[in-house]
Amino acid sequence: MEPDPILPVTKTLAEFVADLAWQKLPPAVQEEGRLAIADTIGGALAAVNEPAARAVMAIVEGETGPSAIWGTALRTTPRNAALVNGAMAHAHDIDDTNPSMRGHPSCPVVPAIFALAAKTGASGQELVTAYVAGVEIATKLGRAVNMPHYNKGWHTTLTLGTLGAAAACARLLRLDAGKTAIALAIAGSRAGGLVANFGTMTKPTHSGFAAEGGVTAALLAQAGTTANPAALECKNGFFDLFAGLEQVQPALALEALNERFDLVDPGNIYKQYPTCSLTHCAIDMLLDGVAEGAIKPDQIASIDCGVGYRCVSTLPYHDARTGLEGKFSMEYCLAAALVHGQVTFAEFEDEKVRSPAIAAMQRKINLYTHPELTTPESVPYDFTDIVIKHQDGTVFHGREQKAKGDPAKRWTLQQFKDKFVRCAAGGMGAEAAARLWDDLHRLDALPAGQPKGLI
Amino acid sequence: MEPDPILPVTKTLAEFVADLAWQKLPPAVQEEGRLAIADTIGGALAAVNEPAARAVMAIVEGETGPSAIWGTALRTTPRNAALVNGAMAHAHDIDDTNPSMRGHPSCPVVPAIFALAAKTGASGQELVTAYVAGVEIATKLGRAVNMPHYNKGWHTTLTLGTLGAAAACARLLRLDAGKTAIALAIAGSRAGGLVANFGTMTKPTHSGFAAEGGVTAALLAQAGTTANPAALECKNGFFDLFAGLEQVQPALALEALNERFDLVDPGNIYKQYPTCSLTHCAIDMLLDGVAEGAIKPDQIASIDCGVGYRCVSTLPYHDARTGLEGKFSMEYCLAAALVHGQVTFAEFEDEKVRSPAIAAMQRKINLYTHPELTTPESVPYDFTDIVIKHQDGTVFHGREQKAKGDPAKRWTLQQFKDKFVRCAAGGMGAEAAARLWDDLHRLDALPAGQPKGLI
């Protein structure tokens, strides 16, 4: 059999990015871009005082420039702002995910383009277009490299996220296809990110690294840095090193460009809870079950929770000691939902994670890999299965495939706005937060430099 | 058989770094530190106007701070200075290598610590100690992961270099062992670097990424960012993702800490020519052969050049079109030595690479992988074998394992100084360059902030 010809992935994707324009975007894609940008910024504004964000802010202290650090009056250089806002956007882990990427598409891209827009000027239409370009590159490359890439232990938010941010910034800088390909090639050399750092402050910082790496790659390409214009697909290139040339399916990265946007198909999944997305179906079931009276927290004898095999590596904290570990602990998230009746930012304060009531509930939990979900091939069919036995003999049984916020369980506009206000109100008050959401929801109508305080 | 216990590599190396002190360094290590620092800075000063350096300088334009951009009057932020000077230090590829690392140990480390010293203050003794800490971490981790890591296609100057720079910066910031471990873990998430970008301006920029990544990781650890304190050795950690847990030999990273310094054993190899080190034995033989009359360039009928198998991937340019490609072309380096009688910076101007005389000489060259050098195991025994047949029937045969500048062919102090002056004189004149080398050669005697213009 003849070997497959090497597809010009870098070049083709670069042409797609360089040619993308607001007018080419289907209305549903335009709307999704506005919503995702707003949702990302909301999550970031909730995290201004998170230790992970504060540490990154500390290392750029005194380094002034044109770009806003969200939620503060500080301005810093574009690369610094991308780093800080990127870390902030992922600090609560309440930002969106996308199944094609198997990671977080927006938390590197949105900070990167807002940071750069302060330097270059960009209309709201340009920002949304750049956002779409970034997410499409990260997700389409995700199609090509996943699941092998994800399964090896790479944090896709930093690997694919750097490429997404670079693509978005290349679009914002109006680089031609040739220089956009170079930006992608440079971004390939900036990619990295160890899943071993999950459950620590370095995990959200990865998103800052990706945002900053994307800005850097695009600026370097603009400034004339050369790179291998086939760096994604060639030997010793991105596919080869981050997944293995024999493992990837490059054609999937090029499928249906300009026709199917991964942003809406399969679509971003928005997060209600500031935890790993793999915990969300379970939390939904528990909160609903308690609300409906089908689960009686003070009567629980045992909880069996069957999950997909990815949880073994992604949710390694079976006895979380910190809020950040709690975000990657199915046991803690289940216990918090049952003990506190909610899973909000407050449930991830360290002392709450270590409370005796939580420990007592966690002892009743049996987490296991469901026998139907033991292989990489089962990932698209992932579900969470919950069986709760009560002391009075009643049993609750729930099984969910999709959490609220998934395209299959689409939020209303009001739910998007409510989440944003919940996130942003702490810093600016609920009224200003609501107005800011309204502005972001008509971002394409705003002139360059708006909304103030974000650019 | 019981599996080997997991060695606490991150923790042990962090303790080594935190405990390292000038007084603990054997005199030979102190001296090698001074020489390597001077040699690195010399190479960087030669590259101030190189396009790769200029592009990086352009993207930080106007971002002022306390740290010197070498060879200019500009000052920028520490992270920017690490990025720019890092790229500059590797732009000519005339900076040192180390066999344990299979890459360039100094070009990320020296820029990182000089950039940071402008912010923190550091005596000359502190700088040399931090340098040694950085090189030892990069080389000792190199022992553990090579050759599998190198063979996969990672650019060790960016992967291991980021870890080395982080260690050096952690030492300079006087982080304790716990925070030094965190700096290493964060650096593990910043590591990356595609060999696919060799022969382009992105290759030297990798060194800037490594320097900046190291500064960033150390500053974040200082600022309180948390990370996995076993991130090098654990599942989904650095060893796992960059080489494969089953491929690495973690014990080699911990062997003879504080006793054998890789900086002197096996020792850094210093470069005479601004080209990939794999070309140096061949260039030495040709230049010596011509000087001695054993090779007659205008009489050459054919050139057979047998090399180790690494050259296939590391020297891919068989018909180089640019100076940067020429640095990674055995054919061009051989032709340049024969046509021009020297291999200096001037030989890597693009138009020289494309000259007809070079093309004519290259047509006579047969490059092949020597039958004794076809496996990874043969790397330590690498040699270059040259057979030149002349039209008059005479034959030149040379075989070399070690280039001049290797510890086995140690330069004199005068040769170190001569190279430095050759490199630095263009910007400052030969006299000032000679004085600067004298200063750097007594760096441990200088107070903080000296030599001026470099910190």
Side-chain angles (χ1 to χ4, degrees), chain B residues 379-404:
Chain B
V379 168
Y381 312 102
D382 258 2
F383 57 76
T384 307
D385 191 281
I386 299 261
V387 175
I388 295 181
K389 294 185 182 144
H390 295 100
Q391 282 149 3
D392 62 11
T394 60
V395 174
F396 169 88
H397 182 204
R399 180 179 285 200
E400 281 293 357
Q401 273 203 304
K402 308 281 187 189
K404 297 172 185 175

PDB file of all heavy atoms in Angstrom, chain B residues 379-404:
ATOM      1  N   VAL B 379      26.508   6.444  19.479  1.00  0.00           N
ATOM      2  CA  VAL B 379      26.724   7.892  19.623  1.00  0.00           C
ATOM      3  C   VAL B 379      28.006   8.250  20.390  1.00  0.00           C
ATOM      4  O   VAL B 379      28.762   9.125  19.971  1.00  0.00           O
ATOM      5  CB  VAL B 379      25.486   8.565  20.248  1.00  0.00           C
ATOM      6  CG1 VAL B 379      25.793   9.996  20.674  1.00  0.00           C
ATOM      7  CG2 VAL B 379      24.339   8.562  19.237  1.00  0.00           C
ATOM      8  N   PRO B 380      28.285   7.580  21.508  1.00  0.00           N
ATOM      9  CA  PRO B 380      29.497   7.961  22.239  1.00  0.00           C
ATOM     10  C   PRO B 380      30.782   7.725  21.429  1.00  0.00           C
ATOM     11  O   PRO B 380      31.837   8.246  21.778  1.00  0.00           O
ATOM     12  CB  PRO B 380      29.469   7.056  23.475  1.00  0.00           C
ATOM     13  CG  PRO B 380      28.042   6.647  23.630  1.00  0.00           C
ATOM     14  CD  PRO B 380      27.506   6.574  22.230  1.00  0.00           C
ATOM     15  N   TYR B 381      30.673   6.917  20.403  1.00  0.00           N
ATOM     16  CA  TYR B 381      31.867   6.598  19.593  1.00  0.00           C
ATOM     17  C   TYR B 381      31.866   7.342  18.262  1.00  0.00           C
ATOM     18  O   TYR B 381      32.690   7.054  17.384  1.00  0.00           O
ATOM     19  CB  TYR B 381      31.940   5.081  19.361  1.00  0.00           C
ATOM     20  CG  TYR B 381      31.744   4.324  20.644  1.00  0.00           C
ATOM     21  CD1 TYR B 381      30.528   3.716  20.944  1.00  0.00           C
ATOM     22  CD2 TYR B 381      32.768   4.271  21.606  1.00  0.00           C
ATOM     23  CE1 TYR B 381      30.337   3.056  22.152  1.00  0.00           C
ATOM     24  CE2 TYR B 381      32.585   3.617  22.818  1.00  0.00           C
ATOM     25  CZ  TYR B 381      31.366   3.013  23.080  1.00  0.00           C
ATOM     26  OH  TYR B 381      31.175   2.376  24.279  1.00  0.00           O
ATOM     27  N   ASP B 382      30.950   8.292  18.130  1.00  0.00           N
ATOM     28  CA  ASP B 382      30.822   9.044  16.873  1.00  0.00           C
ATOM     29  C   ASP B 382      32.168   9.555  16.370  1.00  0.00           C
ATOM     30  O   ASP B 382      33.016   9.993  17.150  1.00  0.00           O
ATOM     31  CB  ASP B 382      29.924  10.275  17.092  1.00  0.00           C
ATOM     32  CG  ASP B 382      28.518  10.060  16.555  1.00  0.00           C
ATOM     33  OD1 ASP B 382      28.228   8.955  16.058  1.00  0.00           O
ATOM     34  OD2 ASP B 382      27.710  10.996  16.649  1.00  0.00           O
ATOM     35  N   PHE B 383      32.325   9.485  15.078  1.00  0.00           N
ATOM     36  CA  PHE B 383      33.494  10.117  14.451  1.00  0.00           C
ATOM     37  C   PHE B 383      33.082  10.625  13.087  1.00  0.00           C
ATOM     38  O   PHE B 383      31.966  10.336  12.613  1.00  0.00           O
ATOM     39  CB  PHE B 383      34.673   9.131  14.352  1.00  0.00           C
ATOM     40  CG  PHE B 383      34.358   7.864  13.592  1.00  0.00           C
ATOM     41  CD1 PHE B 383      34.270   7.850  12.197  1.00  0.00           C
ATOM     42  CD2 PHE B 383      34.123   6.680  14.279  1.00  0.00           C
ATOM     43  CE1 PHE B 383      33.967   6.688  11.512  1.00  0.00           C
ATOM     44  CE2 PHE B 383      33.807   5.509  13.594  1.00  0.00           C
ATOM     45  CZ  PHE B 383      33.731   5.520  12.213  1.00  0.00           C
ATOM     46  N   THR B 384      33.939  11.384  12.473  1.00  0.00           N
ATOM     47  CA  THR B 384      33.716  11.812  11.092  1.00  0.00           C
ATOM     48  C   THR B 384      34.881  11.306  10.270  1.00  0.00           C
ATOM     49  O   THR B 384      36.047  11.465  10.659  1.00  0.00           O
ATOM     50  CB  THR B 384      33.637  13.344  11.002  1.00  0.00           C
ATOM     51  OG1 THR B 384      32.663  13.804  11.939  1.00  0.00           O
ATOM     52  CG2 THR B 384      33.252  13.783   9.601  1.00  0.00           C
ATOM     53  N   ASP B 385      34.562  10.698   9.161  1.00  0.00           N
ATOM     54  CA  ASP B 385      35.584  10.104   8.296  1.00  0.00           C
ATOM     55  C   ASP B 385      35.549  10.817   6.954  1.00  0.00           C
ATOM     56  O   ASP B 385      34.494  10.922   6.322  1.00  0.00           O
ATOM     57  CB  ASP B 385      35.295   8.609   8.103  1.00  0.00           C
ATOM     58  CG  ASP B 385      36.444   7.893   7.436  1.00  0.00           C
ATOM     59  OD1 ASP B 385      36.572   7.993   6.199  1.00  0.00           O
ATOM     60  OD2 ASP B 385      37.238   7.272   8.175  1.00  0.00           O
ATOM     61  N   ILE B 386      36.706  11.344   6.558  1.00  0.00           N
ATOM     62  CA  ILE B 386      36.779  12.098   5.297  1.00  0.00           C
ATOM     63  C   ILE B 386      37.796  11.456   4.356  1.00  0.00           C
ATOM     64  O   ILE B 386      38.937  11.191   4.759  1.00  0.00           O
ATOM     65  CB  ILE B 386      37.251  13.554   5.561  1.00  0.00           C
ATOM     66  CG1 ILE B 386      36.282  14.293   6.483  1.00  0.00           C
ATOM     67  CG2 ILE B 386      37.479  14.289   4.236  1.00  0.00           C
ATOM     68  CD1 ILE B 386      35.295  15.186   5.798  1.00  0.00           C
ATOM     69  N   VAL B 387      37.359  11.196   3.131  1.00  0.00           N
ATOM     70  CA  VAL B 387      38.295  10.751   2.080  1.00  0.00           C
ATOM     71  C   VAL B 387      38.142  11.707   0.901  1.00  0.00           C
ATOM     72  O   VAL B 387      37.047  11.841   0.344  1.00  0.00           O
ATOM     73  CB  VAL B 387      38.008   9.310   1.629  1.00  0.00           C
ATOM     74  CG1 VAL B 387      38.925   8.941   0.454  1.00  0.00           C
ATOM     75  CG2 VAL B 387      38.214   8.337   2.787  1.00  0.00           C
ATOM     76  N   ILE B 388      39.236  12.386   0.571  1.00  0.00           N
ATOM     77  CA  ILE B 388      39.211  13.311  -0.564  1.00  0.00           C
ATOM     78  C   ILE B 388      40.156  12.792  -1.642  1.00  0.00           C
ATOM     79  O   ILE B 388      41.342  12.554  -1.384  1.00  0.00           O
ATOM     80  CB  ILE B 388      39.633  14.732  -0.120  1.00  0.00           C
ATOM     81  CG1 ILE B 388      38.593  15.295   0.865  1.00  0.00           C
ATOM     82  CG2 ILE B 388      39.797  15.650  -1.334  1.00  0.00           C
ATOM     83  CD1 ILE B 388      38.898  16.697   1.360  1.00  0.00           C
ATOM     84  N   LYS B 389      39.605  12.599  -2.809  1.00  0.00           N
ATOM     85  CA  LYS B 389      40.441  12.186  -3.952  1.00  0.00           C
ATOM     86  C   LYS B 389      40.723  13.403  -4.817  1.00  0.00           C
ATOM     87  O   LYS B 389      39.805  14.150  -5.150  1.00  0.00           O
ATOM     88  CB  LYS B 389      39.732  11.103  -4.773  1.00  0.00           C
ATOM     89  CG  LYS B 389      39.589   9.821  -3.976  1.00  0.00           C
ATOM     90  CD  LYS B 389      38.993   8.687  -4.786  1.00  0.00           C
ATOM     91  CE  LYS B 389      38.852   7.451  -3.892  1.00  0.00           C
ATOM     92  NZ  LYS B 389      37.653   6.668  -4.204  1.00  0.00           N
ATOM     93  N   HIS B 390      41.988  13.585  -5.147  1.00  0.00           N
ATOM     94  CA  HIS B 390      42.380  14.709  -6.000  1.00  0.00           C
ATOM     95  C   HIS B 390      42.507  14.250  -7.437  1.00  0.00           C
ATOM     96  O   HIS B 390      42.718  13.074  -7.709  1.00  0.00           O
ATOM     97  CB  HIS B 390      43.713  15.297  -5.513  1.00  0.00           C
ATOM     98  CG  HIS B 390      43.627  15.925  -4.150  1.00  0.00           C
ATOM     99  ND1 HIS B 390      44.054  15.287  -3.002  1.00  0.00           N
ATOM    100  CD2 HIS B 390      43.155  17.137  -3.754  1.00  0.00           C
ATOM    101  CE1 HIS B 390      43.854  16.087  -1.961  1.00  0.00           C
ATOM    102  NE2 HIS B 390      43.304  17.216  -2.386  1.00  0.00           N
ATOM    103  N   GLN B 391      42.438  15.242  -8.323  1.00  0.00           N
ATOM    104  CA  GLN B 391      42.566  14.903  -9.747  1.00  0.00           C
ATOM    105  C   GLN B 391      43.949  14.362 -10.062  1.00  0.00           C
ATOM    106  O   GLN B 391      44.130  13.580 -11.009  1.00  0.00           O
ATOM    107  CB  GLN B 391      42.268  16.149 -10.603  1.00  0.00           C
ATOM    108  CG  GLN B 391      40.770  16.415 -10.703  1.00  0.00           C
ATOM    109  CD  GLN B 391      40.435  17.874 -10.845  1.00  0.00           C
ATOM    110  OE1 GLN B 391      41.328  18.711 -10.930  1.00  0.00           O
ATOM    111  NE2 GLN B 391      39.153  18.196 -10.836  1.00  0.00           N
ATOM    112  N   ASP B 392      44.940  14.731  -9.238  1.00  0.00           N
ATOM    113  CA  ASP B 392      46.294  14.225  -9.485  1.00  0.00           C
ATOM    114  C   ASP B 392      46.507  12.850  -8.872  1.00  0.00           C
ATOM    115  O   ASP B 392      47.628  12.340  -8.835  1.00  0.00           O
ATOM    116  CB  ASP B 392      47.334  15.228  -8.946  1.00  0.00           C
ATOM    117  CG  ASP B 392      47.233  15.423  -7.434  1.00  0.00           C
ATOM    118  OD1 ASP B 392      46.511  14.634  -6.763  1.00  0.00           O
ATOM    119  OD2 ASP B 392      47.867  16.347  -6.918  1.00  0.00           O
ATOM    120  N   GLY B 393      45.443  12.271  -8.360  1.00  0.00           N
ATOM    121  CA  GLY B 393      45.557  10.914  -7.847  1.00  0.00           C
ATOM    122  C   GLY B 393      45.873  10.819  -6.369  1.00  0.00           C
ATOM    123  O   GLY B 393      45.737   9.736  -5.774  1.00  0.00           O
ATOM    124  N   THR B 394      46.285  11.905  -5.759  1.00  0.00           N
ATOM    125  CA  THR B 394      46.577  11.841  -4.324  1.00  0.00           C
ATOM    126  C   THR B 394      45.275  11.783  -3.548  1.00  0.00           C
ATOM    127  O   THR B 394      44.228  12.253  -3.997  1.00  0.00           O
ATOM    128  CB  THR B 394      47.401  13.058  -3.853  1.00  0.00           C
ATOM    129  OG1 THR B 394      46.650  14.251  -4.119  1.00  0.00           O
ATOM    130  CG2 THR B 394      48.736  13.119  -4.567  1.00  0.00           C
ATOM    131  N   VAL B 395      45.374  11.182  -2.374  1.00  0.00           N
ATOM    132  CA  VAL B 395      44.193  10.979  -1.537  1.00  0.00           C
ATOM    133  C   VAL B 395      44.481  11.505  -0.137  1.00  0.00           C
ATOM    134  O   VAL B 395      45.552  11.282   0.419  1.00  0.00           O
ATOM    135  CB  VAL B 395      43.835   9.473  -1.476  1.00  0.00           C
ATOM    136  CG1 VAL B 395      42.700   9.243  -0.474  1.00  0.00           C
ATOM    137  CG2 VAL B 395      43.473   8.964  -2.854  1.00  0.00           C
ATOM    138  N   PHE B 396      43.506  12.237   0.389  1.00  0.00           N
ATOM    139  CA  PHE B 396      43.571  12.657   1.792  1.00  0.00           C
ATOM    140  C   PHE B 396      42.594  11.798   2.570  1.00  0.00           C
ATOM    141  O   PHE B 396      41.434  11.650   2.183  1.00  0.00           O
ATOM    142  CB  PHE B 396      43.192  14.135   1.925  1.00  0.00           C
ATOM    143  CG  PHE B 396      42.977  14.574   3.354  1.00  0.00           C
ATOM    144  CD1 PHE B 396      44.051  15.035   4.126  1.00  0.00           C
ATOM    145  CD2 PHE B 396      41.715  14.527   3.938  1.00  0.00           C
ATOM    146  CE1 PHE B 396      43.856  15.432   5.441  1.00  0.00           C
ATOM    147  CE2 PHE B 396      41.520  14.921   5.262  1.00  0.00           C
ATOM    148  CZ  PHE B 396      42.590  15.371   6.011  1.00  0.00           C
ATOM    149  N   HIS B 397      43.043  11.226   3.687  1.00  0.00           N
ATOM    150  CA  HIS B 397      42.124  10.486   4.547  1.00  0.00           C
ATOM    151  C   HIS B 397      42.266  10.989   5.982  1.00  0.00           C
ATOM    152  O   HIS B 397      43.357  11.000   6.537  1.00  0.00           O
ATOM    153  CB  HIS B 397      42.399   8.982   4.491  1.00  0.00           C
ATOM    154  CG  HIS B 397      41.423   8.216   5.342  1.00  0.00           C
ATOM    155  ND1 HIS B 397      41.683   6.968   5.863  1.00  0.00           N
ATOM    156  CD2 HIS B 397      40.173   8.534   5.762  1.00  0.00           C
ATOM    157  CE1 HIS B 397      40.641   6.555   6.578  1.00  0.00           C
ATOM    158  NE2 HIS B 397      39.714   7.481   6.523  1.00  0.00           N
ATOM    159  N   GLY B 398      41.182  11.436   6.546  1.00  0.00           N
ATOM    160  CA  GLY B 398      41.201  11.874   7.934  1.00  0.00           C
ATOM    161  C   GLY B 398      40.029  11.281   8.702  1.00  0.00           C
ATOM    162  O   GLY B 398      38.985  10.986   8.126  1.00  0.00           O
ATOM    163  N   ARG B 399      40.236  11.060   9.971  1.00  0.00           N
ATOM    164  CA  ARG B 399      39.139  10.600  10.840  1.00  0.00           C
ATOM    165  C   ARG B 399      39.311  11.276  12.198  1.00  0.00           C
ATOM    166  O   ARG B 399      40.392  11.238  12.780  1.00  0.00           O
ATOM    167  CB  ARG B 399      39.162   9.084  10.981  1.00  0.00           C
ATOM    168  CG  ARG B 399      38.042   8.556  11.864  1.00  0.00           C
ATOM    169  CD  ARG B 399      38.034   7.053  11.985  1.00  0.00           C
ATOM    170  NE  ARG B 399      37.534   6.410  10.789  1.00  0.00           N
ATOM    171  CZ  ARG B 399      37.059   5.154  10.751  1.00  0.00           C
ATOM    172  NH1 ARG B 399      37.032   4.401  11.850  1.00  0.00           N
ATOM    173  NH2 ARG B 399      36.636   4.630   9.625  1.00  0.00           N
ATOM    174  N   GLU B 400      38.265  11.912  12.671  1.00  0.00           N
ATOM    175  CA  GLU B 400      38.341  12.614  13.953  1.00  0.00           C
ATOM    176  C   GLU B 400      37.118  12.286  14.806  1.00  0.00           C
ATOM    177  O   GLU B 400      36.009  12.162  14.296  1.00  0.00           O
ATOM    178  CB  GLU B 400      38.378  14.147  13.744  1.00  0.00           C
ATOM    179  CG  GLU B 400      39.715  14.711  13.337  1.00  0.00           C
ATOM    180  CD  GLU B 400      40.788  14.615  14.415  1.00  0.00           C
ATOM    181  OE1 GLU B 400      40.476  14.148  15.540  1.00  0.00           O
ATOM    182  OE2 GLU B 400      41.943  14.969  14.116  1.00  0.00           O
ATOM    183  N   GLN B 401      37.360  12.182  16.107  1.00  0.00           N
ATOM    184  CA  GLN B 401      36.268  11.984  17.071  1.00  0.00           C
ATOM    185  C   GLN B 401      35.955  13.251  17.836  1.00  0.00           C
ATOM    186  O   GLN B 401      34.841  13.440  18.315  1.00  0.00           O
ATOM    187  CB  GLN B 401      36.674  10.908  18.087  1.00  0.00           C
ATOM    188  CG  GLN B 401      36.354   9.497  17.656  1.00  0.00           C
ATOM    189  CD  GLN B 401      36.255   8.596  18.873  1.00  0.00           C
ATOM    190  OE1 GLN B 401      37.216   8.524  19.648  1.00  0.00           O
ATOM    191  NE2 GLN B 401      35.131   7.926  19.033  1.00  0.00           N
ATOM    192  N   LYS B 402      36.936  14.078  18.018  1.00  0.00           N
ATOM    193  CA  LYS B 402      36.785  15.251  18.882  1.00  0.00           C
ATOM    194  C   LYS B 402      37.241  16.496  18.141  1.00  0.00           C
ATOM    195  O   LYS B 402      38.340  16.516  17.566  1.00  0.00           O
ATOM    196  CB  LYS B 402      37.662  15.100  20.136  1.00  0.00           C
ATOM    197  CG  LYS B 402      37.466  13.805  20.893  1.00  0.00           C
ATOM    198  CD  LYS B 402      36.229  13.845  21.760  1.00  0.00           C
ATOM    199  CE  LYS B 402      36.158  12.592  22.637  1.00  0.00           C
ATOM    200  NZ  LYS B 402      34.839  12.525  23.329  1.00  0.00           N
ATOM    201  N   ALA B 403      36.424  17.517  18.198  1.00  0.00           N
ATOM    202  CA  ALA B 403      36.797  18.777  17.569  1.00  0.00           C
ATOM    203  C   ALA B 403      37.647  19.618  18.522  1.00  0.00           C
ATOM    204  O   ALA B 403      37.663  19.382  19.741  1.00  0.00           O
ATOM    205  CB  ALA B 403      35.538  19.545  17.181  1.00  0.00           C
ATOM    206  N   LYS B 404      38.339  20.579  17.960  1.00  0.00           N
ATOM    207  CA  LYS B 404      39.042  21.536  18.803  1.00  0.00           C
ATOM    208  C   LYS B 404      38.022  22.286  19.660  1.00  0.00           C
ATOM    209  O   LYS B 404      36.991  22.725  19.168  1.00  0.00           O
ATOM    210  CB  LYS B 404      39.829  22.516  17.929  1.00  0.00           C
ATOM    211  CG  LYS B 404      40.917  21.833  17.116  1.00  0.00           C
ATOM    212  CD  LYS B 404      41.557  22.781  16.110  1.00  0.00           C
ATOM    213  CE  LYS B 404      42.556  22.021  15.240  1.00  0.00           C
ATOM    214  NZ  LYS B 404      43.129  22.866  14.175  1.00  0.00           N
TER     215      LYS B 404
END
